[in-house]
């Protein structure tokens, strides 16, 4: 049995006061949760997450990082800085970063390398747009996104990483991939990696993300190749997020 991981992606939401309430609420419900649970918070709130969560049942992480180690990169944040604030995970290649901030497969692969070099576990996001799905190129797109990382890091690096399949058309739209649609892509990913390294592929945690809510989480997480979720909107309310976590 693979472990299950549920990670909340708060995106650009929160305030010191709101976060305090949300973290308190999630922590209160953690005794009923078997899966590992992470919250990926905006950079300014990493210190708050560390202070509140250190030694607790929740781990924390960030939503992005620089591919560079240090230097003249105004506004950027390095992997070592994230480690300074106790991050365990960092989301890499979220579709919003790819679409809105020009992150290419190559840049995403560099960020993946930078994260691992600092001892962070990257949550590598892959997924197709609606147009790509409708044109029948879903697998080709995901293969290209994965190949860029495997080419730079080697398949063995995935032993210290998490994948998240996030169909772009399902993120924040209220449209969820059906359990069968998601399972098909998860099985494709695992099969593709198994051709390179069966044991890495078998152990790899592959999360599903895209409008996961309390009312659809259980059937998604029941699929054999879905090992938890990357949760956006539903991670912003403690009760809803805890229900998703309990479903894993
Ligand atoms: C996400 O932020 O990665 C995500 C899947 O968002 P949502 O759950 O809101 O669709």
């Amino acid at each position: 049995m693979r472990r299950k991981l549920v990670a909340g992606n708060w995106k650009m939401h929160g305030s010191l006061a709101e976060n305090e309430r949300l973290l308190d609420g999630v922590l209160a419900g953690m005794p009923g949760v078997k899966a590992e649970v992470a919250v990926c918070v905006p950079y300014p709130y990493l210190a708050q997450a560390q202070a509140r969560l250190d030694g607790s049942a929740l781990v924390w992480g960030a939503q992005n990082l620089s591919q560079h180690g240090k230097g003249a990169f105004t506004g950027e944040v390095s992997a070592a800085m994230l480690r300074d604030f106790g991050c365990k995970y960092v989301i890499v290649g979220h579709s919003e970063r790819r679409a809105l901030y020009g992150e290419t497969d190559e840049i995403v692969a560099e960020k993946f390398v930078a994260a691992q070099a600092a001892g962070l576990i990257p949550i590598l996001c892959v997924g197709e747009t609606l147009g790509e799905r409708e044109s029948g190129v879903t697998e080709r797109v995901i293969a290209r996104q994965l190949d860029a990382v495997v080419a730079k890091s080697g398949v063995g690096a995935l032993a210290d990483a998490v994948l998240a399949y996030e169909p772009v058309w399902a993120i924040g739209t209220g449209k969820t991939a059906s359990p069968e649609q998601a399972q098909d892509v998860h099985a494709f990913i695992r099969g593709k990696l198994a051709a390179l390294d069966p044991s890495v592929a078998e152990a790899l945690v592959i999360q599903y993300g895209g409008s996961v809510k309390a009312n659809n989480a259980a059937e998604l997480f029941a699929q054999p190749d879905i090992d938890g979720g990357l949760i956006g909107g539903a991670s912003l309310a403690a009760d809803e997020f805890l229900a998703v976590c309990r479903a894993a």
Side-chain angles (χ1 to χ4, degrees), residues 25 32 51 155 203:
V155 67

Side-chain angles (χ1 to χ4, degrees), residues 9 11 94 166 170-172 209-212 230-233:
N9 173 14
K11 309 196 186 192
H94 191 280
E166 296 212 309
I171 298 177
S211 298
V212 178
L230 182 55
I231 316 297

Side-chain angles (χ1 to χ4, degrees), residues 7 17 21 25-26 43 77 82 127 130 144 162 180 187 193-194 215 239:
R21 278 194 297 275
V26 176
Y43 292 141
V77 172
L82 300 182
L130 185 57
R144 190 201 72 220
V162 168
E180 296 72 27
L193 295 172
N215 64 9
D239 288 351

